[in-house]
């Protein structure tokens, strides 16, 4: 093998740049040529591909976003789209590919591997929702961004005696809401994996208010409900004044934390190592601080499970 490609796909996450850098540098270290594919699978179909040198990834380890840009591409979900992508790879003489992205991107990587093109997936998403790895690249940065925001909201919540509802990202996965809630001391955490009854939440708020509690912070993952819907229900059924903050895309940006940079560097380099060893159709991950790999299809078949012990702890500490 002489030439490999690398792309980022789906939602961007802080640390993707560090992963690209690791793939490029590790490959060049092992005398491989590396090609960057711009705009994910869309760029693959379009042949938006460029050779990368050591300097191509200089000065990006500390930057959020992705130097290779990203995209969502419906066409790549079709066998014809995948074939177009493979033809482009062949045209550039690229023999193997590293795909950095979330579970959707892993589906694309799996399809390429099934069609005989050696592909390795690197988990990059702030959602932390990929089975087969304890952490995904970007989760730690997003967590720290969300904690910082909630800490600031807490100051104003205390001053005004209001109930604040903070909506964080997480369509199907509650990790970001749960970890942020636990770390920032939220009173209530609403996550997709554990349907907490709104009646119970309202009763708890009323009890807290009665015993003189000045403010409450409710963290809601976007997959459960919108912050404004939760606020409306509380205002309709209590005397409490509410305010809603939707953290939105600030959770995706920012300089990656040290943890994310190290994780991205380790996972990106591991992906190249696996390709050099002739492996394909795998995803890399980290479990108990050890680098691991699994068949992508096995990982995709499973559902990332919520840490029940942590969820229970968040409830016990917020009585
Ligand atoms: P995030 O979870 O952070 O949003 P993601 O990688 O899951 O990231 P998606 O939009 O789900 O983001 O997927 C990214 C891209 O992967 C899609 O736009 C598409 O090009 C490709 N993809 C998704 N599903 C498939 C599939 N079933 N077959 C082939 N390609 C797919």
């Amino acid at each position: 093998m002489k030439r490999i490609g690398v792309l980022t796909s789906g939602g961007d996450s802080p640390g993707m740049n560090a992963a690209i850098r690791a793939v490029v540098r590790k490959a060049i270290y092992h005398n491989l040529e590396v090609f960057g594919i711009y705009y994910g699978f869309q760029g693959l179909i379009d042949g938006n591909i460029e050779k990368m040198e050591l300097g191509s990834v200089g000065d990006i380890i500390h930057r959020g976003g992705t130097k290779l840009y990203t995209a969502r591409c419906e066409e790549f979900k079709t066998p014809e789209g995948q074939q177009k992508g493979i033809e482009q790879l062949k045209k550039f003489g690229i023999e193997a590919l590293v795909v950095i992205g979330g579970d959707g991107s892993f589906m694309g990587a799996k399809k390429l591997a099934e069609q005989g093109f050696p592909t390795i997936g690197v988990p990059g998403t702030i959602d932390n929702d990929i089975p087969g790895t304890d952490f995904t690249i970007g989760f730690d940065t997003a967590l720290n961004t969300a904690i910082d925001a909630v800490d600031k909201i807490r100051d104003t919540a205390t001053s005004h005696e209001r109930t604040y509802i903070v909506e964080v990202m997480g369509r199907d996965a509650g990790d970001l809401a749960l970890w942020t809630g636990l770390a920032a001391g939220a009173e209530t955490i609403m996550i997709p994996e554990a349907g907490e009854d709104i009646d119970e939440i309202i009763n708890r708020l009323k009890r807290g208010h009665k015993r003189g509690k000045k403010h409450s912070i409710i963290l809601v993952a976007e997959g459960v409900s919108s912050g404004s819907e939760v606020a409306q229900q509380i205002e309709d059924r209590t005397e409490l004044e509410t305010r809603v903050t939707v953290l939105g895309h600030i959770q995706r940006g920012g300089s990656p934390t040290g943890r994310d940079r190290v994780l991205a560097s380790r996972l990106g380099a591991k992906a190249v190592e696996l390709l050099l060893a002739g492996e394909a159709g795998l995803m890399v991950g980290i479990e108990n601080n050890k680098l691991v790999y699994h068949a992508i299809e096995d990982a995709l078949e499973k559902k990332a499970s919520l840490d029940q012990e942590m969820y229970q702890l968040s409830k016990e500490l917020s009585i």
Side-chain angles (χ1 to χ4, degrees), residues 142-156:
L143 169 66
N144 281 285
T145 300
I147 292 169
D148 183 51
V150 176
D151 285 349
K152 287 174 174 143
I153 287 165
R154 177 188 280 275
D155 289 343
T156 172

Side-chain angles (χ1 to χ4, degrees), residues 41 76-79 82-83 86 104-117 119 281 296 300:
F41 293 120
F76 199 74
K77 292 182 182 172
T78 66
Q82 292 149 24
Q83 263 317 311
I86 291 176
S105 305
F106 275 24
M107 280 300 291
K110 179 182 148 223
K111 293 282 162 63
L112 284 174
E114 278 169 2
Q115 304 214 19
F117 198 87
T119 308
I296 295 182
L300 287 174

Side-chain angles (χ1 to χ4, degrees), residues 1 4 96-98 118-120 270-279:
M1 190 179 60
I4 67 164
L97 183 67
V98 177
T119 308
I120 303 279
K270 183 71 183 175
V272 175
E273 244 173 52
L274 289 173
L275 286 177
L276 281 166
E279 299 284 359

Side-chain angles (χ1 to χ4, degrees), residues 23-313:
V23 170
V24 171
R25 297 252 165 113
K26 178 83 176 178
I28 294 176
Y29 180 85
H30 287 283
N31 299 316
L32 296 174
E33 288 184 318
V34 199
F35 284 72
I37 296 147
Y38 290 87
Y39 297 101
F41 293 120
Q42 186 60 55
L44 182 58
I45 289 176
D46 298 341
N48 195 347
I49 300 173
E50 211 173 68
K51 186 159 186 245
M52 302 189 87
E53 309 293 347
L54 285 175
S56 312
V57 289
D59 216 14
I60 62 168
I61 194 166
H62 61 303
R63 292 191 200 284
T66 157
K67 186 189 167 72
L68 289 174
Y69 305 102
T70 182
R72 312 225 187 233
C73 172
E74 282 304 309
E75 192 183 354
F76 199 74
K77 292 182 182 172
T78 66
E80 296 76 38
Q82 292 149 24
Q83 263 317 311
K84 279 191 198 170
I86 291 176
E87 275 158 32
Q88 291 288 1
L89 289 164
K90 285 187 176 152
K91 200 166 112 191
F92 282 82
I94 298 168
E95 296 150 282
L97 183 67
V98 177
V99 170
I100 304 166
D103 52 356
S105 305
F106 275 24
M107 280 300 291
K110 179 182 148 223
K111 293 282 162 63
L112 284 174
E114 278 169 2
Q115 304 214 19
F117 198 87
T119 308
I120 303 279
V122 174
T125 168
I126 65 163
D127 294 337
N128 209 34
D129 61 348
I130 301 192
T133 187
D134 293 343
F135 296 104
T136 56
I137 297 164
F139 173 67
D140 189 61
T141 308
L143 169 66
N144 281 285
T145 300
I147 292 169
D148 183 51
V150 176
D151 285 349
K152 287 174 174 143
I153 287 165
R154 177 188 280 275
D155 289 343
T156 172
T158 315
S159 309
H160 284 282
E161 303 194 9
R162 286 173 182 153
T163 298
Y164 269 84
I165 296 99
V166 183
E167 184 187 313
V168 298
M169 283 186 172
R171 281 185 308 250
D172 305 308
D175 268 26
L176 190 55
L178 176 59
W179 283 62
T180 305
L182 191 56
E187 277 75 12
T188 299
I189 302 170
M190 299 172 75
I191 51 177
E193 299 91 334
E196 203 184 359
D197 193 21
I198 187 76
D199 295 334
E200 173 49 30
I201 292 171
I202 287 174
N203 287 337
R204 197 175 332 132
L205 283 171
K206 283 180 176 166
R207 283 197 303 272
H209 188 61
K210 236 186 191 161
R211 65 162 209 271
K213 213 164 152 38
K214 299 240 177 289
H215 68 271
S216 279
I217 293 174
I218 298 176
L219 268 188
V220 52
E222 64 184 344
V224 178
S225 172
S226 75
S228 50
E229 275 165 10
V230 175
Q232 193 61 55
Q233 298 213 43
I234 294 168
E235 293 228 341
D236 286 349
R237 294 168 56 184
T238 69
E239 308 278 279
L240 298 170
E241 201 182 334
T242 63
R243 289 290 183 276
V244 179
T245 304
V246 181
L247 294 189
H249 284 79
I250 65 161
Q251 295 161 96
R252 286 260 190 88
S255 179
T257 59
R259 260 185 187 279
D260 270 333
R261 295 181 201 193
V262 171
L263 179 64
S265 301
R266 293 177 76 190
L267 293 182
K270 183 71 183 175
V272 175
E273 244 173 52
L274 289 173
L275 286 177
L276 281 166
E279 299 284 359
L282 302 176
M283 63 158 285
V284 290
I286 189 156
E287 287 173 342
N288 302 320
N289 205 26
K290 293 265 179 305
L291 294 183
V292 294
Y293 53 86
H294 305 281
I296 295 182
E297 56 188 277
D298 289 350
L300 287 174
E301 267 167 23
K302 290 190 196 125
K303 216 174 155 359
S305 58
L306 181 79
D307 188 331
Q308 290 295 343
E309 201 180 306
M310 201 192 289
Y311 182 61
Q312 180 58 27
L313 178 65

